[in-house]
Amino acid sequence: MLHPRARTMLMLALPALLIGIASSLILLFMMRVAGILQTFLWQTLPATFGVSLFAPGWIITILTLTGIAVGLVIRYVPGHGGPDPASEPLISTPVESRALPGLALAMILGLAGGVSLGPEHPIMAINVALAVVLGGKLFPRVNSLDWTILAAAGTIGALFGTPVAAALIFSQTLNSTNDVPLWDKLFAPLMAAAAGGVTTGLFVHPNFSLPIAHYSQLHLTDIFSGAVVAAIAIALGMVAVWCLPRLHTLMHRLKNPVLILGVGGFVLGMLGALGGPQTLFKGVDEMQQLAFGQTWTVYDYFLFAVIKLAALVIAAACGFRGGRIFPAVFVGVALGLMLHEHVDAVPAAVTVSCAVLGMVLVVTRDGWLSLFMAAVIVPDTQLLPLLCIVMLPAWLLLAGKPLMVAGPKD
């Protein structure tokens, strides 16, 4: 009853479901362990020693020790903590199995210790490597490239709690032909992404949206304002793009990863002491603090944006194991709120969504993912036409510009 094309897709359905569920469970386990350690480092220990929460001295101490601990993992654990995320794309070739324990440990230590990086790059590498090794044994008819795609899709679905981001990303990477339509190629990745998103939703409820005032109607002036906001975000982001490879080269002249990451942790601690707890960690929970409760000034938002971006560049340049998307979203949110506070005639929904779009576009150079993140942070359907229009001049500004990637270690 089924066409051969349908039978081919159906053959991948079970592996896709399994890898999507497994990708989510691995992510949830890692984040749970990191959360327990984070509570111990930032609440239990300070209370034990009678130190106030997030005291500047405590921030500097914990981040310095975190850097040393991650450096020891990279120096002495087999596999050297996996590849350096500063020199790798989000989805790359599978890493060696022996590097996975060190990579997982380095990621957990960084997340718990307050380093300004997200979990996306390490967890992607871990899930892809496990899928290729274990999946290849269970389903030998599925090749390693298919396992890589399925694991990447399942991880993206698990990270965001929805398969939409995976659908957008893979729609531009999986080319269709006359013989194999695009949706045939998307079937299995979307199955994996849906399984990952649903599994994540059963245990936690990822919430990226901010309580931004509803955007009621599209105005021509808002399109121009949004384009200017996106351009400002791109300009700020390109400063980070310029700094990353140069700082990466400078730091790795020290050769010893314990020294490199110890120094990097100390600098991150200084930045965290200056910017406060809002500028620590991956930034997802912290950006909610910017929009809720306390009223911040233009200077506060500016300080948060600049310090978080500097911390992102330093953490990536020193070799901490983590991703750059979530901290970039925080920077975009802080910048957007600052611009709205400075010129309140422009709606916050416009400034925040367009700043997030511009900043994520600089970091990922992925138009669909940038639109997705902007639409998730400010979930307002009235903004979608504006964001699509603003994307056009933003993409022109970045055409041919360097990527946010460092060169290989010396």
Side-chain angles (χ1 to χ4, degrees):
M1 293 179 63
L2 292 176
H3 189 275
R5 278 171 43 194
R7 288 198 294 270
T8 300
M9 289 185 282
L10 190 61
M11 182 186 73
L12 290 172
L14 180 58
L17 282 172
L18 293 177
I19 199 62
I21 294 170
S23 297
S24 176
L25 292 177
I26 292 170
L27 171 65
L28 291 170
F29 174 76
M30 297 290 186
M31 297 303 294
R32 179 59 177 165
V33 174
I36 293 172
L37 182 57
Q38 178 180 325
T39 300
F40 177 75
L41 293 176
W42 296 98
Q43 296 182 27
T44 306
L45 274 184
T48 302
F49 292 109
V51 178
S52 59
L53 296 181
F54 297 106
W58 190 259
I59 292 176
I60 295 171
T61 300
I62 292 298
L63 277 162
T64 302
L65 293 176
T66 298
I68 293 172
V70 174
L72 290 170
V73 170
I74 294 173
R75 175 67 179 84
Y76 294 108
V77 174
H80 305 293
D84 182 357
S87 305
E88 297 281 334
L90 179 61
I91 304 172
S92 59
T93 56
V95 302
E96 296 178 298
S97 300
R98 69 191 188 97
L100 297 186
L103 178 58
L105 182 57
M107 181 192 77
I108 290 170
L109 290 172
L111 290 174
V115 175
S116 293
L117 293 173
E120 58 272 22
H121 188 280
I123 200 65
M124 182 72 72
I126 291 169
N127 284 342
V128 166
L130 289 175
V132 170
V133 173
L134 300 179
K137 293 180 179 179
L138 295 174
F139 299 92
R141 295 178 63 185
V142 182
N143 62 47
S144 61
L145 178 59
D146 287 332
W147 280 118
T148 298
I149 293 172
L150 293 179
T155 303
I156 293 170
L159 282 166
F160 298 108
T162 172
V164 175
L168 295 174
I169 292 172
F170 284 102
S171 67
Q172 66 184 10
T173 57
L174 298 177
N175 298 321
S176 64
T177 64
N178 292 333
D179 297 328
V180 184
L182 175 62
W183 278 96
D184 281 24
K185 294 187 175 184
L186 281 176
F187 181 85
L190 280 182
M191 182 78 76
V198 170
T199 303
T200 296
L202 293 176
F203 295 94
V204 298
H205 302 285
N207 181 26
F208 298 96
S209 63
L210 299 179
I212 303 294
H214 174 66
Y215 183 70
S216 57
Q217 186 176 356
L218 177 65
H219 299 282
L220 185 61
T221 55
D222 291 336
I223 295 177
F224 289 105
S225 299
V228 171
V229 170
I232 293 172
I234 288 171
L236 182 61
M238 288 307 296
V239 174
V241 171
W242 185 88
C243 291
L244 177 60
R246 291 161 177 81
L247 185 58
H248 186 270
T249 300
L250 178 64
M251 292 301 298
H252 284 86
R253 287 178 181 171
L254 298 175
K255 302 298 182 181
N256 190 323
V258 180
L259 181 58
I260 295 170
L261 288 152
V263 172
F266 175 76
V267 176
L268 290 177
M270 297 290 288
L271 289 173
L274 179 62
Q278 290 78 18
T279 59
L280 301 176
F281 307 105
K282 62 182 180 290
V284 175
D285 296 329
E286 289 69 31
M287 73 182 182
Q288 300 285 343
Q289 300 173 19
L290 301 187
F292 279 105
Q294 183 175 348
T295 301
W296 307 100
T297 65
V298 172
Y299 173 76
D300 292 327
Y301 288 129
F302 176 76
L303 193 67
F304 293 150
V306 171
I307 288 178
K308 189 68 172 182
L309 188 60
L312 165 59
V313 172
I314 291 168
C318 292
F320 283 98
R321 285 2 187 195
R324 300 188 287 273
I325 297 175
F326 291 147
V329 171
F330 175 96
V331 175
V333 169
L335 182 63
L337 291 172
M338 182 203 78
L339 293 172
H340 170 68
E341 193 72 19
H342 183 62
V343 185
D344 59 4
V346 183
V350 173
T351 59
V352 171
S353 61
C354 292
V356 169
L357 183 148
M359 190 59 62
V360 175
L361 193 60
V362 170
V363 171
T364 65
R365 218 55 59 92
D366 188 310
W368 285 121
L369 182 59
S370 303
L371 281 170
F372 170 78
M373 292 308 306
V376 166
I377 297 300
V378 187
D380 198 324
T381 55
Q382 296 288 341
L383 283 170
L384 288 177
L386 182 147
L387 291 173
C388 290
I389 296 171
V390 168
M391 172 62 75
L392 302 178
W395 190 260
L396 283 177
L397 286 175
L398 285 171
K401 296 296 190 298
L403 301 176
M404 195 174 186
V405 177
K409 291 186 289 186
D410 296 336

